[in-house]
């Protein structure tokens, strides 16, 4: 396969715009499928995961390929839902082009703005398809105006609809300047005809506009245009391609993926006007040895290199690494260097993905999306290259988890399997974060949103047979003291026949500044307590600190001065002094005005200016403290400190408060005292929970 005959593109859109249905229509038109798959009927070959069929949304990027007019096209159908934005980001990272799908009935939601930001971030030549022209309330002009204004782009219609809503029956192709009238059987077949009289003036105006944009892309064409000479169809095509691949403007076509109308024109557009791997130019990476920037030419003669942007794991078939080939030729039965791991991966077959399945091929060139099976060390984000010419391509920054749940296996068998199962899910989805809180002993699962967490739990059960319950994580409260207590004395004496137990310790207990932890001072004078018992005393204190007197939370920021005590020649022992230290510490802390501390988180919240007042008011209601605000690209960045117990589900609340336009990051800052009224509720709730556990 010639590199110049390869095209790849990523589908981007807000959730519900119909991009998967449009992709299904493409595959049907190209003869890949024998019938038009329907997302709503649950028989889409791209949304094949049960979690996707259940929710009727794309959750995981699906890759397929097809031939069109002697070209090989690779499509990447990505999620539009915010919870799975990392999938779209990774696919956009490796794409040469983007097809942005717009819902003609509701063109620009917040998700659309976020999705289109990937086009700009990765500088992708883009075509827009205004979809669902057959639906009620569909309006081409309003949709076109909405995306032009919202995305700040120069749009160039290359097609306009013939009719709208129930009357939608075809399109006017402004490039060939013909009317395409479609049959009602969803076959994609059409007849060409004359442009309807009521649309002729508008079609002429838009075609003149299209020719002007084409002329702008080339100095010679512009000069010819300005002199009033007519451009040939070839010259118009040359100018359009130059402008589109350079990102100077965005062509806009329209249709219905569900009715298979207008899809053929989009396919022609992709083949004729979108960028080839060669037109995208050399790919930049780094030499792993020197750290210097290097380039790879997207040709078959260059050293082989590929970037792994997705990992699939089948419980039975094993790991499948999905990669974009950037340079060289990759053939079966070879060795590629995983540059990130400095590990040589031996592979046997080379495949191209076909939704759920794969097809074996004899070679892969730049621009192609391939799958390699059972690579030992390779994970998402790794670069594979010719061992003799290593290069590393950068991994795009992934969104950070914003919500965390505690995971509770339902049975002992689930508990035994959960660690390995979650590790495999992490390989498939690098935005899942799994950790264990050593203090609360809870297994924590963090993700990009509620749907993300729920879908992960569904996969955990379906793929690995692990059933779990979710709950909000326990807050890691602490206890400390506010007052000093001098001269705390405790005598441990036990006589049960034979050798007894005896130890007496004298402590001064005082608070330390917040965050200082624990300080032990041995200040013994004389020989009342042999020095060999001191370590046992300190050990006893540290053990007692694990559970405070108020609610059993760890005690922090305390100093203990061990200044005196008593011992017995026969009955004193390390165990006796350890017990005495534990009891003395508990007694002293209880008398030193103990309080509960809560973790305070530092939030950095980015919201549009219009929502700033609402967000600040909400933070105040959460006992938050606003530290400052900075303006950034039409938004406000609010920095605040808020108790963790008030923001455990902040991702959902901020989304509701800002219509999905707000984002935030959160990290631990410090501990602060809990207000007395709230502390009483925490103590009562903790004791009630402890009683339940005893039963």
């Amino acid at each position: 396969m010639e590199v110049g005959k390869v095209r790849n593109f990523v589908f981007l859109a807000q959730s519900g715009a119909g991009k998967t249905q449009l992709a299904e229509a493409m595959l049907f038109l190209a003869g890949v499928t024998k019938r038009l798959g329907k997302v709503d009927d649950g028989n889409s070959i791209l949304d094949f995961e049960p979690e996707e069929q259940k929710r009727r949304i794309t959750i995981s990027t699906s890759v397929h390929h097809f031939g069109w007019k002697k070209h090989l096209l690779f499509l990447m159908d990505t999620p539009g839902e915010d919870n799975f934005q990392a999938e779209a980001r990774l696919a956009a990272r490796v794409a040469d082009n983007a097809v942005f799908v717009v819902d003609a009935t509701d063109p620009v939601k917040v998700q659309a703005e976020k999705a289109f930001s990937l086009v700009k971030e990765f500088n992708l030549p883009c075509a827009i398809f205004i979809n669902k022209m057959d639906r009620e309330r569909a309006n081409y002009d309003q949709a076109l105006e909405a995306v032009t204004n919202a995305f700040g782009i120069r749009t160039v219609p290359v097609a306009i609809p013939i009719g709208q809503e129930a009357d939608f029956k075809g399109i006017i192709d402004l490039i060939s300047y013909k009317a395409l009238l479609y049959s009602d059987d969803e076959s994609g077949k059409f007849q060409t005809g004359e442009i309807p009289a009521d649309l002729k003036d508008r079609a002429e105006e838009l075609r003149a506009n299209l020719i002007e944009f084409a002329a702008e892309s080339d100095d010679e064409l512009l000069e010819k245009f300005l002199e009033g000479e007519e451009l040939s169809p070839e010259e118009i095509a040359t100018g359009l391609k130059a402008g589109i691949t350079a990102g100077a403007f965005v062509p806009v076509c329209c249709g219905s993926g569900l009715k298979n109308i207008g899809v053929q024109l989009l396919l022609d557009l992709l083949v004729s006007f979108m960028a080839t791997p060669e037109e995208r130019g050399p790919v930049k990476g780094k030499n792993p040895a020197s750290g210097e920037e290097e380039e790879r030419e997207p040709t078959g003669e260059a050293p082989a290199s590929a970037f792994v942007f997705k990992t699939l794991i089948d419980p039975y078939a094993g790991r499948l690494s999905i990669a974009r080939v950037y340079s060289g030729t990759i053939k079966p039965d070879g060795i590629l260097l995983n540059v990130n791991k400095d590990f040589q991966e031996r592979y046997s077959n080379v495949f191209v993905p076909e939704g759920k399945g794969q097809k074996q091929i004899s070679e892969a060139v730049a621009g192609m999306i391939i799958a390699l099976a059972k690579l030992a060390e390779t994970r998402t984000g790794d670069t594979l290259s010719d061992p003799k010419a290593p290069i590393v391509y950068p991994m795009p920054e992934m969104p950070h988890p914003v919500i965390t749940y505690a995971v509770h296996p339902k049975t002992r068998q689930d508990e035994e399997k959960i660690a390995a199962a979650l590790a495999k899910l992490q390989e498939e989805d690098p935005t899942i974060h799994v950790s264990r809180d050593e203090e609360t002993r809870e297994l924590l699962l963090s993700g990009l949103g509620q749907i993300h967490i729920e879908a992960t739990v569904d996969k955990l059960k379906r793929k690995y047979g692990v059933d779990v319950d979710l709950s909000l994580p326990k807050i890691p409260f602490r206890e400390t003291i506010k007052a000093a207590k001098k001269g705390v004395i405790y005598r441990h004496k036990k006589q049960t026949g034979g050798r007894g137990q005896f130890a007496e310790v004298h402590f001064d207990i005082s608070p330390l500044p917040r965050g200082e932890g624990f300080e032990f001072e041995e200040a013994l004078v004389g020989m009342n307590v042999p020095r060999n018992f001191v370590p046992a005393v300190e050990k006893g204190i540290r053990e007692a600190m694990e559970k405070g007197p108020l609610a059993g939370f760890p005690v922090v920021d305390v100093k203990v001065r061990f200044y005196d005590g008593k011992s017995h020649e026969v009955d004193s022992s390390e165990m006796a002094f350890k017990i005495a230290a534990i009891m003395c510490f508990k007694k002293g802390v209880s008398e030193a005005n103990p309080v509960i501390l809560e973790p305070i988180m530092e939030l950095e919240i980015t919201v549009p200016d219009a929502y700033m007042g609402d967000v600040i008011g909400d933070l105040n209601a959460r006992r938050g403290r606003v530290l400052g605000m900075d303006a950034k690209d039409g938004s406000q960045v609010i920095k605040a400190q808020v108790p963790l117990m008030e923001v455990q589900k902040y991702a959902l609340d901020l989304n509701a408060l800002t219509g999905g336009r707000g984002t935030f990051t959160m990290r631990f800052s410090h501990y602060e005292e809990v207000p007395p009224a709230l502390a009483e509720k925490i103590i009562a709730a903790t004791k009630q929970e402890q009683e339940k556990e005893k039963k």
Side-chain angles (χ1 to χ4, degrees), residues 387-653:
K388 297 177 182 177
I391 189 171
V392 177
Y393 297 125
M395 170 79 164
E397 184 179 350
M398 289 289 96
H400 299 289
V402 296
I403 193 166
T404 299
Y405 279 93
V407 180
H408 308 282
K410 288 188 176 180
T411 67
R412 176 61 66 95
Q413 190 177 14
D414 292 327
E415 192 170 346
E416 291 171 353
K417 295 189 294 184
I418 192 168
L422 283 172
K424 289 177 180 176
L425 287 181
Q426 277 184 289
E427 283 191 44
E428 291 190 294
D429 184 353
T431 59
I432 294 172
H433 183 70
V434 180
S435 61
R436 184 173 291 278
D437 190 316
E438 294 302 327
E439 183 179 317
T440 63
R441 306 194 186 285
E442 287 183 316
L443 184 64
L444 304 180
L445 175 64
S446 303
L448 301 182
Q450 187 77 25
I451 300 174
H452 188 202
I453 295 289
E454 290 172 359
T456 301
V457 169
D458 288 347
K459 282 186 182 180
L460 198 60
K461 183 175 182 179
R462 175 178 62 85
K463 296 181 78 170
Y464 303 105
V466 178
D467 208 358
V468 300
D469 289 321
L470 296 175
S471 69
L472 286 176
K474 295 176 182 176
I475 304 291
F477 293 109
R478 301 279 190 269
E479 296 183 24
T480 192
I481 56 175
K482 293 179 71 176
K485 183 67 178 177
K486 303 286 185 180
V488 185
I489 300 172
Y490 187 86
R491 173 179 289 188
H492 173 64
K493 185 176 181 181
K494 191 174 183 183
Q495 192 72 45
T496 55
R499 184 174 175 177
Q501 294 183 24
F502 179 86
E504 183 176 303
V505 293
H506 299 191
F507 292 165
D508 287 339
I509 299 177
S510 57
L512 288 175
R514 194 72 64 241
E516 291 292 315
F518 170 61
E519 184 181 331
F520 176 73
E521 180 187 352
E522 185 261 292
L524 295 171
V525 178
M527 293 303 295
N528 286 342
V529 178
R531 300 303 187 269
N532 60 303
F533 292 137
V534 172
V537 171
E538 183 176 356
K539 186 176 181 182
I541 295 170
R542 290 187 180 277
E543 186 174 311
M545 289 177 68
E546 293 176 5
K547 289 189 175 183
L550 293 177
F553 300 123
V555 179
V556 296
D557 304 335
V558 171
K559 177 180 178 179
V560 176
R561 180 173 175 268
F562 178 27
Y563 66 89
D564 201 1
K566 292 181 181 178
S567 62
H568 187 277
E569 289 182 4
V570 176
D571 294 343
S572 289
S573 64
E574 289 186 358
M575 180 57 69
F577 270 95
K578 179 183 174 182
I579 293 170
I582 290 172
M583 302 309 295
C584 190
F585 181 81
K586 287 183 177 180
K587 176 185 176 184
V589 169
S590 299
E591 298 172 358
N593 193 7
V595 293
I596 291 179
L597 302 176
E598 63 179 335
I600 305 297
M601 311 304 288
E602 190 167 294
L603 273 65
E604 191 169 289
I605 310 158
T606 303
V607 295
D609 294 342
Y611 298 97
M612 184 179 68
D614 292 340
V615 171
I616 290 176
D618 179 67
L619 290 172
N620 290 332
R622 296 172 186 270
R623 299 189 288 125
R625 185 165 55 242
V626 176
L627 304 178
M629 290 166 285
D630 295 311
K632 181 183 178 183
D633 300 330
S635 297
Q636 292 290 331
V637 180
I638 303 168
K639 294 182 180 180
Q641 291 179 343
V642 192
L644 174 60
M645 67 185 302
E646 303 288 351
V647 288
Q648 282 190 290
K649 300 180 80 171
Y650 190 63
L652 308 179
D653 300 330

